[in-house]
């Protein structure tokens, strides 16, 4: 993926409103570079990079098993991690609070769908 394309995806992320309940969100590109635009005091950069690497590995393993997912969701004690992967290998990951009153799941779903529908060029 070109640097210009990566920058367009990052511009899209910066322009989207952070949905209520989102704790952190980020994009991992196929070249293993990573970007997060939310203050992540509770999520050190190394932890986020590791989480996104695991997400990328999971997408790859499922694809190799001929079960190519577009979206994955992990539920943890306090958060849910929603992920979407584009055909170009870019992955959007969004950690959302599990406290129902805090989370706008409709807005998160809309953001993931928008990410998947971004033009390739």
């Amino acid at each position: 993926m070109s640097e210009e394309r990566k920058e367009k995806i990052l511009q899209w992320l910066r322009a989207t409103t952070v949905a209520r309940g989102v704790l952190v969100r980020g994009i991992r590109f196929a070249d293993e570079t990573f970007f997060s635009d939310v203050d992540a005091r509770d999520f050190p950069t190394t932890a986020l990079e590791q989480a996104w690497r695991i997400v990328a590995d999971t997408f790859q393993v499922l694809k190799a098993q001929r079960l190519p997912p577009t979206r994955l969701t992990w539920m943890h004690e306090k958060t849910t991690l929603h992920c979407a992967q584009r055909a170009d290998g870019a992955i959007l990951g969004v950690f959302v609070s599990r406290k129902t009153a805090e989370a706008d799941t409709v807005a998160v779903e809309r953001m993931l769908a928008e990410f998947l529908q971004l033009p390739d060029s």
Side-chain angles (χ1 to χ4, degrees), residues 22-92:
V22 169
L23 303 172
V24 67
R25 61 190 187 164
I27 295 179
R28 183 181 194 268
F29 295 100
D31 66 0
E32 301 181 7
T33 57
F34 168 79
F35 174 83
S36 177
D37 75 333
V38 174
D39 181 10
R41 279 185 285 265
D42 296 330
F43 295 88
T45 302
T46 54
L48 288 174
E49 288 173 351
Q50 183 177 12
W52 263 247
R53 188 172 44 255
I54 291 166
V55 167
D57 289 348
T58 303
F59 275 109
Q60 186 177 9
V61 167
L62 290 171
K63 185 177 179 181
Q65 296 300 317
R66 298 188 181 144
L67 301 167
T70 309
R71 303 251 327 257
L72 297 171
T73 303
W74 278 271
M75 298 189 74
H76 305 278
E77 183 179 330
K78 295 180 181 181
T79 65
T80 300
L81 172 56
H82 299 275
C83 305
Q85 183 177 44
R86 295 169 39 87
D88 59 17
I91 298 170
L92 171 64

Side-chain angles (χ1 to χ4, degrees), residues 19-20 103-113:
R20 188 180 69 250
D104 184 351
T105 55
V106 172
V108 171
E109 290 294 322
R110 186 173 41 247
M111 183 175 57
L112 291 163

